[in-house]
Amino acid sequence: MSNEWHGGKGSKSRTTKHKSFRDGYDKIKKSKPIYEFRSNRIILQGDTHDMDVTWKIIYNKVPSGSDYLHLGDIGVGFGERELAIPRCLTWLATIDELCKSLNVRAFFIRGNHDATYPEIWESKWSNVFLIEDHAYANFPNGKKAILLAGGLSVDRCTRVENVDYWKGEPTKEIKFVDKCDFAFTHDCPEHFNHSTSSLHNNFQWAVDKDPTLIEECIKQRGVVTDIMARAEVKAIHYAHMHNNTVEYIDGVYARCVNINELFEFDSNKEYKE
């Protein structure tokens, strides 16, 4: 991994109605941050499931001056809420200090194995940026990306709500989607990696215990599929699936970044199979 990075007109009534609509639209648009990457290359991180592991990877493997994007399942907020929130905020402060010392900017997308508490996701740091829902980011070369959070835990029937599973984990629907070149997401569209129907092969025990699992997984993947289609992205990098699958389907490249894996993404590169 390179160490040379340096981060990153009609009637009045119609007019009134149009202005009201535009004001509402602009409010929605402005509510989501637009980040500016410092370089045309960023480091992508697959699931780590533990904030200590995340800290160690940044410390040992992320070059100084880079922008680092964690694709979700960071390990945020596990445990009883009253203890989990302060512990997580302490970890975020520690990671923020590390990133400041390395001139690294860390972007954390919420995965399904991350708590959904606003006390965490609305916290502000100098070098750590938290994406609980979705956001956009621009590269210096003018390319644009959507950053999309959320997923669904197929083993939720074995988990404890608000300890290691949160009902707000799925990807949220987006009313207005900007056209983008790339997507960095936790989950992926239905037609990439293994489909929801494959749960019958690998997680039949979970399907048997969780009667709405298949239906909700179909909805989850459908939301991601719809957002990616409306964004018209040509390359999707995601995590969640715990493998290294690379696919090129209907003109869209998709790569899964595996557990604890780092991947250098170059926005100047045309990704194909």
Side-chain angles (χ1 to χ4, degrees):
M1 204 169 281
S2 171
N3 285 302
E4 299 176 355
W5 294 10
H6 299 288
K9 289 191 270 126
S11 71
K12 182 177 179 180
S13 62
R14 285 182 180 177
T15 302
T16 301
K17 287 179 180 178
H18 177 71
K19 182 178 184 301
S20 177
F21 175 81
R22 283 299 315 181
D23 287 347
Y25 176 80
D26 290 341
K27 184 179 292 186
I28 292 170
K29 296 279 283 183
K30 291 176 182 178
S31 67
K32 296 303 173 187
I34 300 178
Y35 298 107
E36 303 290 335
F37 291 134
R38 297 176 294 181
S39 169
N40 288 318
R41 292 185 292 175
I42 62 174
I43 301 177
L44 303 180
Q45 170 76 68
D47 300 20
T48 54
H49 303 121
D50 189 310
M51 298 192 76
D52 179 55
V53 172
T54 303
W55 186 95
K56 288 176 179 176
I57 290 175
I58 295 172
Y59 180 81
N60 291 308
K61 297 183 178 182
V62 176
S64 297
S66 60
D67 284 350
Y68 162 89
L69 175 57
H70 197 305
L71 296 172
D73 283 6
I74 307 146
V76 164
F78 274 66
E80 297 291 342
R81 178 172 182 151
E82 63 272 17
L83 298 176
I85 291 174
R87 181 167 60 239
C88 180
L89 294 175
T90 298
W91 263 118
L92 286 172
T94 302
I95 293 173
D96 188 57
E97 287 299 318
L98 172 63
C99 289
K100 282 193 288 187
S101 72
L102 297 174
N103 188 28
V104 166
R105 297 195 310 168
F107 300 83
F108 290 164
I109 295 175
R110 179 185 61 79
N112 54 296
H113 295 320
D114 292 312
T116 57
Y117 306 134
E119 296 93 330
I120 294 173
W121 294 98
E122 293 175 8
S123 64
K124 304 297 180 184
W125 312 92
S126 65
N127 284 56
V128 172
F129 306 89
L130 304 173
I131 298 101
E132 191 274 336
D133 180 353
H134 76 282
Y136 297 95
N138 296 321
F139 287 92
N141 61 10
K143 299 292 181 63
K144 184 175 184 176
I146 183 170
L147 285 56
L148 184 65
L152 198 142
S153 301
V154 298
D155 62 347
R156 63 190 184 181
C157 61
T158 69
R159 295 173 176 271
V160 179
E161 187 177 348
N162 295 329
V163 173
D164 59 357
Y165 158 71
W166 298 269
K167 282 188 175 180
E169 66 178 10
T171 299
K172 296 178 174 62
E173 297 185 39
I174 305 174
K175 189 171 184 178
F176 301 104
V177 181
D178 288 3
K179 300 294 187 291
C180 295
D181 301 283
F182 315 116
F184 303 116
T185 69
H186 184 61
D187 201 358
C188 68
E190 173 68 19
H191 52 288
F192 288 110
N193 221 300
H194 49 274
S195 66
T196 299
S197 62
S198 68
L199 290 175
H200 290 293
N201 300 325
N202 303 316
F203 289 91
Q204 185 61 49
W205 60 269
V207 174
D208 292 340
K209 293 182 177 180
D210 190 340
T212 64
L213 180 61
I214 292 291
E215 177 186 352
E216 291 181 51
C217 282
I218 290 172
K219 180 180 179 180
Q220 160 63 30
R221 298 288 291 277
V223 169
V224 178
T225 302
D226 174 68
I227 293 170
M228 295 300 97
R230 288 192 287 139
E232 299 181 6
V233 299
K234 295 304 180 184
I236 304 168
H237 289 74
Y238 62 97
H240 188 50
M241 297 298 186
H242 301 179
N243 57 48
N244 305 99
T245 300
V246 177
E247 300 164 288
Y248 190 74
I249 301 174
D250 296 334
V252 178
Y253 171 96
R255 172 186 284 271
C256 183
V257 184
N258 208 349
I259 296 175
N260 296 337
E261 178 187 3
L262 294 178
F263 177 78
E264 289 183 312
F265 174 83
D266 186 347
S267 64
N268 285 320
K269 181 178 178 179
E270 183 178 1
Y271 286 91
K272 290 187 176 181
E273 57 182 337

